[in-house]
Amino acid sequence: MLACRQLGKSYATERGVVAAVAGVDLEVPAGQFAAIIGRSGSGKSTLMAMIGGLSRPSTGTVKIDGTDLWQLSENALAAFRNEKIGYVFQFASLLPTLRLIDNVTLPAMLGRRRPEADILTRAGRLLERMGLGAYLDAYPAEISAGEQRRVAIARALINDPELLLADEPTSDLDEQTEIEIMDELLTINREVGTTLVLVTHNLALAGRAQQIFHIANGAIVT
């Protein structure tokens, strides 16, 4: 499903060129749960952004289901991201002026590959699965941080992505909510077969993965 070869990202600074990620090779088979761990500033989020088609690598390749992301045109890459990849970021980043159901439907409405009625039905079912079926018309400010994170997961799943990327999705949550969110992600991985790549500082969460990649100073270490 996911294959990175000699993936690197460098930045020009006043101190010279800094390699945030350097020569990363990794593979994640379809349907697997992989965790990326490392200290703050080690390059985890930069790596995730390249994997997800959000930040262009300085070197190397990213292939998802055989497609070389960074050989696509800008429009083709945007369409590929929308169809194939779901994102759950460190913060829920919900649009405050939209209802929860509208936040969830937004990626599908942009893609317009399904009738609006079908999109709304799926969004409602996803929110029900996340325990928020009674809050479809609520706004983000009316629910807790943990509930907002559940909405973000529903939004990431609205287009049935083959790859779900979660970048520190539980770092600011209490322990019980963190466990509940992680259990939901693993249920999706196991029952639906969605490939899951998780960036985390939490070694207990990473320990539930089938593969663990440890990154330090921008490189995978063993």
Side-chain angles (χ1 to χ4, degrees):
M1 165 56 67
L2 170 63
C4 301
R5 292 287 178 268
Q6 290 298 297
L7 195 59
K9 181 74 172 182
S10 298
Y11 297 96
T13 72
E14 293 180 355
R15 305 188 311 275
V17 176
V18 174
V21 174
V24 165
D25 292 327
L26 62 82
E27 289 189 8
V28 181
Q32 196 169 86
F33 167 33
I36 299 173
I37 63 173
R39 297 178 63 180
S40 179
S42 61
K44 303 185 304 298
S45 292
T46 301
L47 175 60
M48 199 72 137
M50 292 189 289
I51 289 173
L54 298 175
S55 178
R56 182 174 292 277
S58 303
T59 60
T61 61
V62 177
K63 290 187 178 181
I64 295 177
D65 200 20
T67 297
D68 189 337
L69 254 59
W70 296 103
Q71 292 300 311
L72 298 174
S73 68
E74 185 174 337
N75 287 341
L77 177 58
F80 186 91
R81 283 195 308 258
N82 184 265
E83 179 180 355
K84 297 283 190 178
I85 306 173
Y87 299 89
V88 184
F89 298 107
Q90 184 173 359
F91 303 103
S93 300
L94 303 179
L95 296 177
T97 58
L98 294 184
R99 301 174 302 164
L100 301 190
I101 193 165
D102 297 322
N103 269 282
V104 173
T105 60
L106 188 58
M109 291 298 188
L110 292 173
R112 287 292 183 179
R113 292 187 301 276
R114 284 180 273 181
E116 182 174 340
D118 291 351
I119 294 171
L120 287 167
T121 297
R122 175 164 172 76
R125 288 174 179 167
L126 284 169
L127 285 169
E128 286 176 7
R129 176 171 185 162
M130 298 298 160
L132 294 167
Y135 298 92
L136 305 187
D137 293 327
Y139 289 86
E142 298 172 329
I143 60 175
S144 70
E147 288 169 332
Q148 289 184 28
R149 202 61 49 85
R150 292 177 183 274
V151 177
I153 294 172
R155 179 181 59 191
L157 295 172
I158 189 65
N159 284 334
D160 297 309
E162 296 176 24
L163 176 64
L164 182 61
L165 304 177
D167 189 357
E168 296 280 9
T170 63
S171 62
D172 61 337
L173 303 178
D174 63 85
E175 184 177 358
Q176 182 57 40
T177 304
E178 181 178 52
I179 291 170
E180 292 171 0
I181 295 293
M182 196 63 222
D183 285 346
E184 190 59 50
L185 289 173
L186 287 177
T187 298
I188 292 162
N189 167 246
R190 291 166 182 164
E191 293 184 0
V192 183
T194 304
T195 306
L196 172 63
V197 179
L198 170 75
V199 164
T200 183
H201 286 97
N202 189 318
L203 296 182
L205 297 184
R208 303 171 72 177
Q210 293 155 300
Q211 278 196 95
I212 299 176
F213 299 99
H214 183 190
I215 187 169
N217 298 318
I220 299 292
V221 296
T222 56

